[in-house]
């Protein structure tokens, strides 16, 4: 059950597909007190939804592919590959959709009562920028 919540996060919420209704998926799988913690900032459920909405428009073929899941009790470590072709201002770099990035991401999820309550995450955006610069 808990692993299903984790895979839904990547396959149904983060990845853009033909039946993409991420807001409904995120409402279903994220706890009301959800917190996303990166190196510097922390986001609420609503803030994460806003950021992802921006990414889905900027990267219409955004894909997150799980490579490995390690589970201990209610925590899940996920190594994944994020990829896509941004079209617009991508972190200050003008893009036109002709170049793609493919980067590794690492997340540590805590699942409580069948919902993700916390995620600590790192994405290799420096590599993405180098790939997009060509």
């Amino acid at each position: 059950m808990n692993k299903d919540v984790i895979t839904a996060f990547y396959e149904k919420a983060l990845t853009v597909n033909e039946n993409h209704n991420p807001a409904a998926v995120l409402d279903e799988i994220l706890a009301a007190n959800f917190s996303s913690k990166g190196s510097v900032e922390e986001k609420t459920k609503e803030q994460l939804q806003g950021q992802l909405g921006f990414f889905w428009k900027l990267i219409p073929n955004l894909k997150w592919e799980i490579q490995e899941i390690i589970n201990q009790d209610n925590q899940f470590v996920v190594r994944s590959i994020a990829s896509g072709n941004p079209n617009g201002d991508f972190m200050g770099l003008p893009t036109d959709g002709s170049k793609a990035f493919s980067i590794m991401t690492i997340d540590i999820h805590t699942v409580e009562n069948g919902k993700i309550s916390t995620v600590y995450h790192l994405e290799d955006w420096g590599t993405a920028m180098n790939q997009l610069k060509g």
Side-chain angles (χ1 to χ4, degrees), residues 43-127:
K43 293 182 187 78
T44 65
K45 180 178 181 177
E46 293 76 22
Q47 289 169 321
L48 177 65
Q49 287 174 321
Q51 179 184 24
L52 290 174
F54 171 76
F55 273 150
W56 296 320
K57 290 177 185 170
L58 178 64
I59 312 164
N61 65 338
L62 182 61
K63 187 173 188 178
W64 238 273
E65 296 177 279
I66 295 173
Q67 304 296 299
E68 179 178 20
I69 298 177
I70 300 169
N71 172 229
Q72 181 176 334
D73 300 323
N74 69 334
Q75 290 192 305
F76 295 81
V77 177
V78 179
R79 179 177 56 86
S80 64
I81 300 293
S83 61
N85 296 64
N87 189 2
D89 183 354
F90 185 77
M91 299 183 190
L93 179 69
T95 62
D96 62 8
S98 65
K99 293 183 182 177
F101 68 85
S102 179
I103 60 171
M104 181 170 49
T105 73
I106 301 286
D107 299 301
I108 303 170
H109 300 271
T110 301
V111 178
E112 297 174 340
N113 301 316
K115 295 188 180 233
I116 300 170
S117 61
T118 306
V119 60
Y120 291 88
H121 64 92
L122 289 173
E123 295 102 9
D124 188 7
W125 293 118
T127 295

